[in-house]
Amino acid sequence: MTSNLDRTTLELLESLVGATGGSDDIAEIECVNGLLEAEWTAIGFEIVRHPIPGRADLVVAELRVGSDAPDADRVAVTIVGHSDTVWPVGTVGDWSYAEDAASGMLSGPGIGDMKAGLVVAGLAARMIADSCSAPGLLRILLIPDEEVGSVGSLPIIERVAGMTDLCIGLEAGKPGDQFVAFRGAVGAMRIDLHGVPAHVTEPGGVNAVTALLPLATEVAALSGPEVLVSVCRIRAGEARQITAADGWFEIDLRADRAADLLAVVERIRSRAAAVDPTVRVEVHGGMTRPELAVERSARPLALLAELDEARNPGGARAIGIRERGGSDASFFAAAGVDTLDGFGPICWDNCARGERVLASSLPDRAVRMAELAIAWIDGGMRRQR
């Protein structure tokens, strides 16, 4: 490999990728939890697990760094990541972890989102523990249900956000040394429709499909410049000759502004309420994540650029970009916490079959994450209220 990663680090990454699972795959997520708990405990973290109903545990790891002080007097930096992936058990086939020495790439399901980012957090934590002088509290928050909106984890996320001075997000970095300085709001909805099953030649049947297809078409037509509305998953019926008793479709929503997204959510609910009353309709979900505003990322991005210049005068400096993908870091930003996301390694084809990361970007991102956290703690930079 062309990176400075040692074999132990690569073996940990391979094990994490090997435990790929979706939010419902509790055994795989608990395997990830166990691997990282062992890694982080060896660094000195104290681990607390929080049961999430129907999911694997949420893990909170805390490490006191620098000089002695009560926890209330320590500057708190929270690194937020997740243990689940977009690849449920049974969906990856024979695709597995691989190292390509020629290209310097590491690949595998979930490697960019975000197994490699979790490895970066551990690498950075060792540097932070060794180098902080002022009293600080380094926290890693490992979410088990991020890919489905972090619904079960949200109360803990919000509580931790209230005790955080800087949030660092582990979502994948972007080619061109880009970090995520802005994220739009994200929504996820599901509409269930219930009819009455009967043979198509017999009376009494109510076909859920008859209402489902026009409604899904109407919902998709709500997409526009302010809000991207996508209907990408539909299921209905059990047999060709039986009216569908049940059907459903899922809706993905993306917007720069939470207010615009919430307005479309209400329009979707209104259209669902107007469906033929012989079909029973249930509407679930709504906005799952607020936006990460540029005002929240400005301080950490500027400081990171200064640190880049000090380490490598005249060289590349961190660039902030806008992205509509969701992240739990947005909850911290919405709570008024200075937040910078995209600290995972540089990734291509994130969440797709070609998902791969640049091996040399893991130690690079770890160094810069550590420098930012140390500067924040040693500088006594409290959250701006």
Side-chain angles (χ1 to χ4, degrees):
M1 304 302 299
T2 58
S3 72
N4 294 322
L5 296 173
D6 59 34
R7 179 45 52 185
T8 300
T9 300
L10 291 169
E11 287 174 354
L12 172 61
L13 179 56
E14 181 176 9
S15 296
L16 291 171
V17 172
T20 298
S23 307
D24 294 328
D25 298 321
I26 294 175
E28 282 68 28
I29 305 307
E30 285 297 348
C31 180
V32 172
N33 285 347
L35 288 165
L36 292 173
E37 184 172 353
E39 178 75 7
W40 296 340
T41 299
I43 297 172
F45 281 92
E46 298 175 4
I47 308 293
V48 176
R49 285 172 170 257
H50 297 269
I52 304 298
R55 306 291 181 195
D57 289 346
L58 183 156
V59 176
V60 179
E62 292 186 344
L63 178 68
R64 287 151 188 82
V65 299
S67 56
D68 290 336
D71 282 356
D73 296 332
R74 292 177 177 271
V75 174
V77 174
T78 297
I79 301 170
V80 62
H82 58 88
S83 47
D84 56 340
T85 75
V86 299
W87 304 103
V89 169
T91 62
V92 300
D94 60 357
W95 181 29
S96 61
Y97 174 82
E99 301 174 12
D100 186 337
S103 65
M105 294 290 180
L106 308 171
S107 61
I111 197 164
D113 189 26
M114 62 171 34
K115 300 302 177 60
L118 296 170
V119 171
V120 167
L123 295 173
R126 293 181 185 275
M127 300 180 219
I128 297 167
D130 291 340
S131 302
C132 270
S133 56
L137 179 65
L138 179 64
R139 182 187 295 114
I140 305 179
L141 195 61
L142 186 60
I143 307 300
D145 57 347
E146 191 269 352
E147 299 293 357
V148 291
S150 307
V151 176
S153 299
L154 184 55
I156 298 171
I157 294 172
E158 291 179 330
R159 179 170 61 82
V160 171
M163 303 181 293
T164 297
D165 297 299
L166 170 68
C167 175
I168 294 173
L170 292 177
E171 296 294 338
K174 308 300 176 184
D177 203 27
Q178 297 175 355
F179 293 78
V180 180
F182 171 89
R183 287 190 184 277
V186 180
M189 301 182 71
R190 170 169 161 153
I191 298 182
D192 288 83
L193 300 96
H194 306 283
V196 177
H199 195 280
V200 293
T201 62
E202 300 295 330
V206 177
N207 192 349
V209 171
T210 303
L212 185 154
L213 293 179
L215 180 59
T217 301
E218 286 183 37
V219 167
L222 294 174
S223 190
E226 289 79 22
V227 185
L228 177 64
V229 182
S230 303
V231 176
C232 298
R233 194 170 182 221
I234 296 177
R235 294 286 187 276
E238 294 182 357
R240 172 186 54 80
Q241 68 273 50
I242 305 297
T243 57
D246 301 292
W248 54 263
F249 63 96
E250 292 179 335
I251 309 159
D252 184 271
L253 302 158
R254 311 277 168 159
D256 285 349
R257 298 175 62 248
D260 292 335
L261 190 145
L262 289 170
V264 169
V265 167
E266 291 309 309
R267 292 174 69 185
I268 291 171
R269 291 184 178 277
S270 176
R271 280 164 170 70
V275 167
D276 182 343
T278 62
V279 177
R280 183 167 60 89
V281 181
E282 298 174 295
V283 181
H284 309 277
M287 188 176 77
T288 57
R289 290 188 180 87
E291 71 258 36
L292 191 172
V294 291
E295 292 79 10
R296 293 274 64 87
S297 64
R299 273 214 305 174
L301 182 62
L303 178 54
L304 182 62
E306 291 176 15
L307 294 166
D308 286 345
E309 176 64 20
R311 182 177 9 89
N312 183 23
R317 296 172 62 172
I319 299 169
I321 63 165
R322 301 167 67 91
E323 187 181 85
R324 275 186 163 179
S327 167
D328 287 329
S330 296
F331 291 121
F332 287 78
V337 179
D338 288 297
T339 301
L340 187 59
D341 203 356
F343 261 93
I346 304 299
C347 180
W348 286 263
D349 295 329
N350 196 24
C351 298
R353 279 278 172 178
E355 189 171 5
R356 62 202 183 280
V357 299
L358 182 64
S360 60
S361 68
L362 274 75
D364 174 73
R365 290 297 173 114
V367 166
R368 296 161 82 183
M369 185 188 301
E371 288 181 344
L372 179 62
I374 293 165
W376 208 271
I377 292 169
D378 286 353
M381 299 176 68
R382 295 290 185 178
R383 65 188 295 174
Q384 296 177 322
R385 299 181 187 275

